[in-house]
Amino acid sequence: MMNKVKKVSVISTGSVQIRPEHVETNGTPLLWWLNTSRRWTGPRPINVYVIEHEKGLVLFDTGQDRRSVTDPTYFPGGVVGHNYRRLAKFDIPQDATLSEQLHDLGHDIADVRIAILSHLHQDHIGGLRELPSSAQILVSGTDLESVDKPFAVLDGLLRDHIRLPGLDWVPVTPKPAQDDSIAPFTHAHDVMGDGSLLLLPTPGHTPGSLSLLLRSDGLPTMLFVGDLTYDAKLLAADRVPGVGNRKELHLTTQNVNRLAARFPGMPVLAAHDPAAADLLRSALLQYKE
């Protein structure tokens, strides 16, 4: 594999607190624990991964929109709004927007060429309105179709914040792969056409959830998994979250663990794992050694 990726970084658009049952299922249905749980986790990051590819700047997820904590009309009202408030509590400082966080890394958001969305929940699509019109937005075709279904808001899809004018959507449907090294995965989408960034189907959290496998000379192999897990240690133990299809979450988790066994030391980097930044930093340092 050629040295296609120059650098990988992680930024966070604020923090979120969720229910312990969200992080790891206790076997009860979502609506039960959502409305009865009295506990919150500590603050967890809202990670965006920044990939400097030789062909341009690539993002994996875009974080949470700060307007979700400043605009009282951002979320729906009524019973649906009640469920959103029960699900998560956000803290997004003024300088925690996607644009500001990229600026702190030395990037202009206008330079983003591709933004990959692991799925379309609120804390992954928050930076869409900040992206330049020239940026391509890659997401599962399955999940994108779900946005326009009746009652999509009940599945966590805020259509008004997703279907924004001027966005260049690229629906992704992974195709059969000829690369045996990604087994047990059999399908992938080659983002750049050079094998360095492969989107893998990892359903469970949503039907079309995607993960990104990064392979490039000069860097460790790494896997970005969105909300497949909220803790890489739980994933390694096949312990799954409380949001999504439990059977699919287990099947996908087992596939990810089998893939990880092929790449010893590969960091599995989630959107809200408090350890993710250290996992990335450690993997980069160990690779240089």
Side-chain angles (χ1 to χ4, degrees), residues 217-234:
D217 287 346
L219 290 171
T221 298
M222 54 188 79
L223 184 68
F224 309 92
V225 298
D227 286 357
L228 175 62
T229 189
Y230 297 87
D231 184 320
K233 290 182 178 179
L234 292 179

Side-chain angles (χ1 to χ4, degrees), residues 165-231:
L167 293 182
D168 182 9
W169 290 101
V170 180
V172 169
T173 302
K175 300 292 193 297
Q178 307 302 316
D179 188 348
D180 292 339
S181 71
I182 66 170
F185 290 95
T186 59
H187 290 64
H189 174 81
D190 192 338
V191 176
M192 292 300 195
D194 57 20
S196 63
L197 300 176
L198 297 179
L199 282 173
L200 307 177
T202 51
H205 185 68
T206 65
S209 286
L210 296 170
S211 293
L212 179 66
L213 181 66
L214 183 152
R215 302 177 303 174
S216 178
D217 287 346
L219 290 171
T221 298
M222 54 188 79
L223 184 68
F224 309 92
V225 298
D227 286 357
L228 175 62
T229 189
Y230 297 87
D231 184 320

